[in-house]
mmCIF file of all heavy atoms in Angstrom:
data_model
loop_
_atom_site.group_PDB
_atom_site.id
_atom_site.type_symbol
_atom_site.label_atom_id
_atom_site.label_comp_id
_atom_site.label_asym_id
_atom_site.label_seq_id
_atom_site.Cartn_x
_atom_site.Cartn_y
_atom_site.Cartn_z
ATOM 1 N N ASP A 64 7.821 -6.835 2.118
ATOM 2 C CA ASP A 64 7.357 -7.961 2.926
ATOM 3 C C ASP A 64 5.840 -8.099 2.813
ATOM 4 O O ASP A 64 5.314 -9.211 2.686
ATOM 5 C CB ASP A 64 7.735 -7.778 4.399
ATOM 6 C CG ASP A 64 9.233 -7.820 4.632
ATOM 7 O OD1 ASP A 64 9.954 -8.444 3.831
ATOM 8 O OD2 ASP A 64 9.687 -7.218 5.625
ATOM 9 N N VAL A 65 5.153 -6.961 2.856
ATOM 10 C CA VAL A 65 3.691 -6.984 2.755
ATOM 11 C C VAL A 65 3.265 -7.476 1.374
ATOM 12 O O VAL A 65 2.367 -8.305 1.249
ATOM 13 C CB VAL A 65 3.098 -5.585 3.048
ATOM 14 C CG1 VAL A 65 1.598 -5.565 2.794
ATOM 15 C CG2 VAL A 65 3.413 -5.174 4.480
ATOM 16 N N LEU A 66 3.934 -6.985 0.329
ATOM 17 C CA LEU A 66 3.619 -7.425 -1.035
ATOM 18 C C LEU A 66 3.779 -8.940 -1.160
ATOM 19 O O LEU A 66 2.906 -9.622 -1.709
ATOM 20 C CB LEU A 66 4.508 -6.709 -2.045
ATOM 21 C CG LEU A 66 4.396 -7.206 -3.490
ATOM 22 C CD1 LEU A 66 2.997 -6.994 -4.053
ATOM 23 C CD2 LEU A 66 5.447 -6.501 -4.359
ATOM 24 N N THR A 67 4.875 -9.471 -0.655
ATOM 25 C CA THR A 67 5.114 -10.918 -0.713
ATOM 26 C C THR A 67 3.997 -11.668 0.008
ATOM 27 O O THR A 67 3.462 -12.657 -0.516
ATOM 28 C CB THR A 67 6.484 -11.257 -0.082
ATOM 29 O OG1 THR A 67 7.494 -10.572 -0.828
ATOM 30 C CG2 THR A 67 6.754 -12.750 -0.114
ATOM 31 N N TRP A 68 3.622 -11.192 1.194
ATOM 32 C CA TRP A 68 2.545 -11.828 1.959
ATOM 33 C C TRP A 68 1.232 -11.785 1.172
ATOM 34 O O TRP A 68 0.525 -12.789 1.089
ATOM 35 C CB TRP A 68 2.391 -11.151 3.320
ATOM 36 C CG TRP A 68 1.268 -11.716 4.121
ATOM 37 C CD1 TRP A 68 1.297 -12.861 4.871
ATOM 38 C CD2 TRP A 68 -0.052 -11.196 4.239
ATOM 39 N NE1 TRP A 68 0.063 -13.071 5.454
ATOM 40 C CE2 TRP A 68 -0.785 -12.057 5.077
ATOM 41 C CE3 TRP A 68 -0.695 -10.067 3.707
ATOM 42 C CZ2 TRP A 68 -2.114 -11.832 5.405
ATOM 43 C CZ3 TRP A 68 -2.017 -9.848 4.035
ATOM 44 C CH2 TRP A 68 -2.715 -10.720 4.876
ATOM 45 N N VAL A 69 0.919 -10.624 0.590
ATOM 46 C CA VAL A 69 -0.330 -10.468 -0.163
ATOM 47 C C VAL A 69 -0.364 -11.444 -1.333
ATOM 48 O O VAL A 69 -1.362 -12.124 -1.571
ATOM 49 C CB VAL A 69 -0.506 -9.012 -0.655
ATOM 50 C CG1 VAL A 69 -1.589 -8.908 -1.725
ATOM 51 C CG2 VAL A 69 -0.831 -8.094 0.518
ATOM 52 N N ARG A 70 0.716 -11.522 -2.084
ATOM 53 C CA ARG A 70 0.745 -12.383 -3.267
ATOM 54 C C ARG A 70 0.686 -13.860 -2.905
ATOM 55 O O ARG A 70 0.248 -14.670 -3.704
ATOM 56 C CB ARG A 70 1.988 -12.082 -4.118
ATOM 57 C CG ARG A 70 1.908 -10.734 -4.819
ATOM 58 C CD ARG A 70 0.725 -10.682 -5.780
ATOM 59 N NE ARG A 70 0.591 -9.404 -6.441
ATOM 60 C CZ ARG A 70 -0.467 -8.600 -6.323
ATOM 61 N NH1 ARG A 70 -1.491 -8.941 -5.572
ATOM 62 N NH2 ARG A 70 -0.514 -7.455 -6.965
ATOM 63 N N GLN A 71 1.108 -14.218 -1.695
ATOM 64 C CA GLN A 71 1.073 -15.626 -1.273
ATOM 65 C C GLN A 71 -0.174 -15.963 -0.470
ATOM 66 O O GLN A 71 -0.395 -17.120 -0.136
ATOM 67 C CB GLN A 71 2.318 -15.941 -0.435
ATOM 68 C CG GLN A 71 3.591 -15.882 -1.239
ATOM 69 C CD GLN A 71 4.828 -16.046 -0.381
ATOM 70 O OE1 GLN A 71 4.780 -16.068 0.834
ATOM 71 N NE2 GLN A 71 5.976 -16.158 -1.032
ATOM 72 N N SER A 72 -0.999 -14.954 -0.172
ATOM 73 C CA SER A 72 -2.145 -15.156 0.706
ATOM 74 C C SER A 72 -3.437 -15.337 -0.086
ATOM 75 O O SER A 72 -3.446 -15.386 -1.311
ATOM 76 C CB SER A 72 -2.298 -13.953 1.627
ATOM 77 O OG SER A 72 -2.829 -12.850 0.882
ATOM 78 N N PHE A 73 -4.519 -15.339 0.650
ATOM 79 C CA PHE A 73 -5.859 -15.440 0.076
ATOM 80 C C PHE A 73 -6.192 -14.248 -0.813
ATOM 81 O O PHE A 73 -7.126 -14.294 -1.599
ATOM 82 C CB PHE A 73 -6.890 -15.548 1.213
ATOM 83 C CG PHE A 73 -6.987 -14.301 2.049
ATOM 84 C CD1 PHE A 73 -7.979 -13.365 1.817
ATOM 85 C CD2 PHE A 73 -6.068 -14.069 3.067
ATOM 86 C CE1 PHE A 73 -8.065 -12.215 2.584
ATOM 87 C CE2 PHE A 73 -6.149 -12.918 3.831
ATOM 88 C CZ PHE A 73 -7.155 -11.987 3.592
ATOM 89 N N LEU A 74 -5.463 -13.154 -0.691
ATOM 90 C CA LEU A 74 -5.767 -11.936 -1.452
ATOM 91 C C LEU A 74 -5.393 -12.082 -2.913
ATOM 92 O O LEU A 74 -6.037 -11.512 -3.784
ATOM 93 C CB LEU A 74 -5.034 -10.744 -0.849
ATOM 94 C CG LEU A 74 -5.430 -10.427 0.585
ATOM 95 C CD1 LEU A 74 -4.407 -9.512 1.215
ATOM 96 C CD2 LEU A 74 -6.802 -9.814 0.625
ATOM 97 N N GLY A 75 -4.291 -12.796 -3.136
ATOM 98 C CA GLY A 75 -3.852 -13.096 -4.496
ATOM 99 C C GLY A 75 -3.738 -11.931 -5.435
ATOM 100 O O GLY A 75 -2.694 -11.335 -5.551
ATOM 101 N N ALA A 97 8.293 -8.521 -8.083
ATOM 102 C CA ALA A 97 7.679 -9.271 -6.983
ATOM 103 C C ALA A 97 6.145 -9.268 -7.058
ATOM 104 O O ALA A 97 5.505 -9.871 -6.226
ATOM 105 C CB ALA A 97 8.128 -8.682 -5.644
#
Side-chain angles (χ1 to χ4, degrees):
D64 294 334
V65 174
L66 173 63
T67 300
W68 177 81
V69 165
R70 289 299 178 242
Q71 293 174 352
S72 74
F73 66 98
L74 298 164

